[in-house]
């Protein structure tokens, strides 16, 4: 029997408006740099709106985010390969995860690796930064125009590496039954993975001393090698994302570039 190799397309989405950080515009350069480091058969860059937008219904730059998501969906419609999305802020992953859900159905598991659980709502996050609401939106509890028509079920989502959620987020996690693993018990996430897996990596899950080019670094994070070793044990990765790379200067940091390259390699193996 002949085995057909999977083709991989990197989808670069250099969006920054989902973040409220003063450094958020750096995410545009970060997305482009990171996209060039992930091994792939092709790279497609979404022509995102690069200007700011208005705060509507508690969501910062709502109009821009809706338009960028529309453009992302349009780009995805022309790709049949496995997609590795490279952002930009975490909100770039709504459309790709929705597409993976449409393809793989309720067997899909989303492994959300992030220092933050991203389950705020427009009512609980004063800044209105939508990248802090993405998981909640994926579950169907988000703003119109930014929420999938077919939401994920709570049992399809696992959060790993989280160490910075606030009380309202942890209340939501408890109420919905979302599984959550911190840094100390990170490897336990492997026991829960079933079926095709979509892996979301927010680079702020990493220990800032080893990878500091993010908008919201959090202390006591995961060492890069530990994360790479974990991902090497995840089977049937049908899609993935690497997000929130915010380099501070024009010259790439060789060590951080190597971390992204190795993450990309293990996700596309």
């Amino acid at each position: 029997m002949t085995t057909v190799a999977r083709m991989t397309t990197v989808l670069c989405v250099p969006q920054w408006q989902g973040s409220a950080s003063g450094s958020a515009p750096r995410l545009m350069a970060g997305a482009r740099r990171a996209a060039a480091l992930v091994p792939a058969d092709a790279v497609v860059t979404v022509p995102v709106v690069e200007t700011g937008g208005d705060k509507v219904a508690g969501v910062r730059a709502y109009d821009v985010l809706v338009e960028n998501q529309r453009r992302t969906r349009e780009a995805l419609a022309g790709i049949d390969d496995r997609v590795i999305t490279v952002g930009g802020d975490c909100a770039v992953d709504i459309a790709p995860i929705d597409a993976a859900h449409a393809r793989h159905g309720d067997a899909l598991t989303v492994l959300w690796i992030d220092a933050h659980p991203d389950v705020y709502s427009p009512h609980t996050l004063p800044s209105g930064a939508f990248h802090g609401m993405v998981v909640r939106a994926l579950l169907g509890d988000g703003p119109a125009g930014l929420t999938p028509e077919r939401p994920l079920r709570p049992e399809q989502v696992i959060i790993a590496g989280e160490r910075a959620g606030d009380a309202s987020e942890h209340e939501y996690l408890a109420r919905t039954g979302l599984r959550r693993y911190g840094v100390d018990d990170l490897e336990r996430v492997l026991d829960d993975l079933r079926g095709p897996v979509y892996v979301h990596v927010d680079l702020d899950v990493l220990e800032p001393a080893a990878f500091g080019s993010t908008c919201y670094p959090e202390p006591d994070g995961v060492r890069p090698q530990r994360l790479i070793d974990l991902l090497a044990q995840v089977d049937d990765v049908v899609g993935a994302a690497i997000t929130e790379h915010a380099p501070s200067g024009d010259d790439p940091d060789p060590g951080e570039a190597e971390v992204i390259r190795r993450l990309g390699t293990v996700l596309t193996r």
Side-chain angles (χ1 to χ4, degrees):
M1 182 176 66
T2 301
T3 300
V4 178
R6 283 193 293 185
M7 304 290 282
T8 299
T9 292
V10 163
L11 184 70
C12 177
V13 191
Q15 172 181 284
W16 62 274
Q17 297 92 338
S19 173
S21 168
S23 302
R26 297 177 185 170
L27 294 168
M28 289 187 289
R32 295 185 175 100
R33 288 187 195 177
L37 294 167
V38 178
D41 300 287
V43 177
V44 173
T45 299
V46 177
V48 297
V49 179
E50 295 189 359
T51 57
D54 297 326
K55 188 174 184 179
V56 176
V59 178
R60 184 188 186 99
Y62 171 84
D63 51 340
V64 170
L65 295 174
V66 170
E67 175 59 17
N68 283 347
Q69 191 171 127
R70 185 195 69 77
R71 296 184 186 190
T72 303
R73 292 182 187 278
E74 188 175 76
L76 283 166
I79 302 173
D80 292 327
D81 304 339
R82 176 176 58 175
V83 173
I84 307 297
T85 301
V86 179
D89 63 71
C90 286
V92 305
D93 220 11
I94 293 264
I97 290 175
D98 192 29
H101 191 198
R103 177 170 292 187
H104 299 283
D106 289 346
L108 182 73
T109 296
V110 174
L111 176 57
W112 193 268
I113 302 175
D114 197 319
H116 312 86
D118 294 348
V119 293
Y120 282 109
S121 77
H123 307 291
T124 58
L125 186 57
S127 71
F130 183 63
H131 73 162
M133 311 177 196
V134 177
V135 171
R136 193 159 176 158
L138 286 167
L139 294 171
D141 186 13
L146 294 172
T147 301
E149 292 184 6
R150 182 186 180 186
L152 298 169
R153 295 175 290 111
E155 55 266 34
Q156 289 180 264
V157 180
I158 305 173
I159 295 169
E162 186 263 316
R163 58 191 183 277
D166 83 346
S168 71
E169 291 186 285
H170 287 152
E171 185 278 329
Y172 180 85
L173 294 176
R175 177 159 49 86
T176 57
L178 279 176
R179 288 167 290 177
R180 172 257 180 214
Y181 297 94
V183 174
D184 291 342
D185 57 352
L186 182 70
E187 283 72 20
R188 285 184 56 203
V189 74
L190 295 170
D191 298 333
D192 281 354
L193 292 179
R194 301 288 184 276
V197 179
Y198 188 103
V199 179
H200 172 97
V201 177
D202 181 330
L203 292 166
D204 70 19
V205 76
L206 297 172
E207 165 56 42
F211 193 105
S213 293
T214 66
C215 291
Y216 292 94
E218 299 289 350
D220 303 319
V222 180
R223 303 296 300 189
Q225 186 61 53
R226 185 181 176 196
L227 179 57
I228 291 163
D229 290 344
L230 175 81
L231 294 176
Q233 299 177 70
V234 179
D235 296 324
D236 199 11
V237 174
V238 297
I242 298 173
T243 65
E244 301 279 350
H245 180 36
S248 59
D250 294 333
D251 297 324
D253 180 296
E256 293 185 343
E258 179 65 7
V259 169
I260 294 171
R261 187 194 66 78
R262 294 184 67 201
L263 286 171
T265 298
V266 75
L267 289 169
T268 57
R269 73 190 190 282

